[in-house]
Amino acid sequence: MSFSTLGLHASLLDTLAALGYSEPTAVQRAAIPAMLAGSDLLVSSQTGSGKTAAFALPALQRLLATTTAQGSRRAGPRILVLAPTRELALQVQKAVHGYGVGQRLRTACLVGGMPYGLQLKQLSRPVDIVIATPGRLKDHLDRGRLDLARLEVLVLDEADRMLDMGFVEDIDAIVACTPAERQTLLFSATLDGVVGRLAQRVTRAAQRIDIAASTARVPRIDERALFADDLPHKTRLLDALLRDTDIGQVLVFTATKRSAEELSGALCEQGFSAGALHGDMRQRERNFTLQRLRDGRMRVLVATDVAARGIDVPGISHVINFDAPRQAEDYVHRIGRTGRAGRTGIAVTLLAHREKHLMRSIERYTGNALRVAVIPGLEPTARPEWTPRPRPGGNGRNGGGRSWGRRAEWKSGARPASNRYRAGG
Ligand code: AMP
């Protein structure tokens, strides 16, 4: 199926051809015609499934149609996209400009952690599309800086995540400021529970589109698990992985901001071009770091969950969960940073033996088994499940494990052990 069958305007089709998009993804096939027909939509789709274009293209078409027909632009936003994080919001804004190239779009990105000055300037002019995080948008609404009375389309992107982050009241307050006859699209990894209740409040006769996690994601990402005995072993495994010549750019996830800083520092000391990305960094620093990653000047980015949302860098060949995600849902978002746009990717989750339950819950959630791998020479100490403690001098084999493929170069011993993430420590 080609994009031309979906009812999109010729200028948008030209842009898609120029971007090299030969055919719509599953979510685009289902959502674009429905959105063009004016339906409210509830879409369950994973990150990396092409969901941004699925809502951005029909939204742009709506602007295009009115601009050409009426030749006028109104003052308030006609399209509002709410996203959980700054990174995702900026990513969406970039995508919208990419898909709407040549359309003289006026967009404003209103996200927390950024100075008000530029945002107020953006709001002093007529704007077509606002992309925002809920907290900051609510703030602008409360101060009377923004009028949503003309809104035609409301998109809640990664709604599940916005609810996780405690934005429910802000979202309800924002929705209350929009016209009841708006079109509402809600995208989320899951449509159950609190998300379902939000959907009931904000949509009308919505059409439900379920894009199974498996079709959206699984074929593109090879998911592996490596068991580690302790932190020094885990650090050696990471070092070996990063020294593999087949690895392009890598996103490493840690559980805390502090670990992200420490680990990236240790990796820099070991000669890797590494950097950290976490919520305590100023937005300018975050943008600078992401730009270095995009330019290919940084090879390893060590990040926390929230900071990494929305990262879309095609060179990321591997995602390494240095700390296993506590929530299976986070796992899906993390690994979705690789295997973007039809490429393949590898996701490696490092697990302590006692974290086997996390692996099981990930497998239950995704319906997809993680392949247990080993790096020759860095096998975990064998530990039968019924034995509570490690057996000193185990046989060094993780029974049934899958070899990483080749012996990774590993230089041990020579470094001082002052940092807990030092590979030789
Ligand atoms: P998203 O899920 O919206 O974050 O999109 C994931 C990636 O897929 C982005 O890099 C998009 O540029 C890319 N993409 C979206 N739709 C298509 C398509 N139909 N063909 C090829 N790449 C696409």
Side-chain angles (χ1 to χ4, degrees):
M1 183 195 260
S2 87
F3 276 105
S4 59
T5 60
L6 301 181
L8 289 170
H9 195 278
S11 67
L12 293 171
L13 294 177
D14 289 346
T15 306
L16 293 171
L19 287 172
Y21 292 9
S22 51
E23 58 175 32
T25 63
V27 66
Q28 292 162 1
R29 278 198 297 277
I32 290 173
M35 189 173 164
L36 288 175
S39 301
D40 279 7
L41 298 182
L42 301 181
V43 186
S44 74
S45 66
Q46 303 294 340
T47 179
S49 59
K51 66 184 165 60
T52 315
F55 65 75
L57 292 167
L60 290 166
Q61 174 133 328
R62 184 183 272 264
L63 295 182
L64 206 60
T66 324
T67 310
T68 0
Q70 301 178 351
S72 69
R73 280 166 186 267
R74 296 155 163 188
R78 295 172 55 196
I79 318 283
L80 170 63
V81 182
L82 291 179
T85 64
R86 293 170 258 203
E87 277 72 23
L88 183 60
L90 289 166
Q91 195 70 53
V92 169
Q93 187 186 33
K94 200 169 147 218
V96 163
H97 279 282
Y99 299 134
V101 72
Q103 226 176 302
R104 277 193 302 139
L105 290 173
R106 294 190 244 198
T107 67
C109 194
L110 310 176
V111 293
M114 294 285 271
Y116 280 82
L118 179 64
Q119 297 182 359
L120 293 177
K121 199 168 155 201
Q122 291 176 334
L123 291 177
S124 66
R125 300 186 290 243
V127 60
D128 303 309
I129 306 184
V130 167
I131 300 128
T133 49
R136 180 60 65 94
L137 188 86
K138 169 83 171 23
D139 204 12
H140 283 296
L141 280 173
D142 289 348
R143 290 164 191 235
R145 309 275 187 203
L146 185 69
D147 178 10
L148 295 179
R150 295 176 192 84
L151 197 80
E152 295 169 36
V153 177
L154 171 66
V155 180
L156 303 176
D157 195 8
E158 302 200 358
D160 51 333
R161 193 67 180 183
M162 289 198 279
L163 296 183
D164 279 355
M165 292 169 74
F167 283 133
V168 67
E169 284 172 14
D170 289 342
I171 294 173
D172 281 328
I174 292 165
V175 171
C177 297
T178 65
E181 62 279 10
R182 68 177 187 273
Q183 183 180 17
T184 308
L185 299 316
L186 182 147
F187 290 78
S188 176
T190 156
L191 295 173
D192 305 328
V194 281
V195 183
R197 288 195 286 282
L198 173 71
Q200 270 180 355
R201 290 201 298 278
V202 302
T203 60
R204 285 182 310 171
Q207 188 176 323
R208 187 172 161 142
I209 297 174
D210 280 299
I211 305 296
S214 53
T215 55
R217 177 179 59 74
V218 170
R220 293 181 287 108
I221 303 173
D222 180 0
E223 297 170 58
R224 306 172 187 180
L226 284 177
F227 278 93
D229 295 325
D230 49 24
L231 186 59
H233 184 207
K234 215 167 152 182
T235 315
R236 285 196 296 276
L237 289 169
L238 176 66
D239 186 274
L241 290 171
L242 294 180
R243 288 181 195 281
D244 191 318
T245 46
D246 290 340
I247 288 193
Q249 285 176 297
V250 188
L251 188 52
V252 178
F253 281 96
T254 57
T256 65
K257 297 166 192 171
R258 187 168 159 221
S259 319
E261 282 286 346
E262 289 184 1
L263 186 55
S264 92
L267 291 172
C268 286
E269 278 181 38
Q270 287 157 37
F272 294 104
S273 57
L277 192 76
H278 57 73
D280 278 354
M281 291 163 65
R282 285 200 305 269
Q283 190 60 34
R284 269 183 53 188
E285 290 175 277
R286 290 207 212 182
N287 292 346
F288 178 73
T289 302
L290 281 173
Q291 199 51 49
R292 281 182 62 213
L293 189 73
R294 283 201 186 93
D295 295 347
R297 283 177 289 148
M298 180 187 291
R299 200 171 146 240
V300 186
L301 179 65
V302 188
T304 55
D305 282 296
V306 167
R309 301 275 305 189
I311 292 182
D312 184 10
V313 177
I316 296 176
S317 65
H318 287 62
V319 167
I320 300 176
N321 292 318
F322 186 79
D323 292 322
R326 301 285 118 184
Q327 307 286 337
E329 225 174 297
D330 287 333
Y331 174 83
V332 171
H333 282 287
R334 287 181 179 192
I335 73 166
R337 304 297 117 209
T338 183
R340 313 280 294 167
R343 293 179 180 81
T344 55
I346 294 178
V348 185
T349 301
L350 303 183
L351 290 154
H353 300 284
R354 65 174 187 285
E355 291 176 325
K356 210 163 192 167
H357 65 286
L358 295 178
M359 179 169 140
R360 297 281 169 253
S361 78
I362 289 167
E363 291 177 332
R364 266 197 307 276
Y365 185 80
T366 62
N368 197 30
L370 299 195
R371 290 196 286 160
V372 177
V374 291
I375 297 182
L378 289 176
E379 296 86 350
T381 307
R383 185 171 9 173
E385 298 225 326
W386 41 266
T387 307
R389 279 194 237 143
R391 276 188 309 179
N395 66 10
R397 285 278 152 207
N398 181 353
R402 183 175 164 277
S403 164
W404 192 253
R406 69 178 193 77
R407 171 74 225 240
E409 184 191 352
W410 168 243
K411 298 184 180 62
S412 65
R415 302 180 199 97
S418 62
N419 187 309
R420 65 198 180 104
Y421 290 114
R422 206 172 284 283

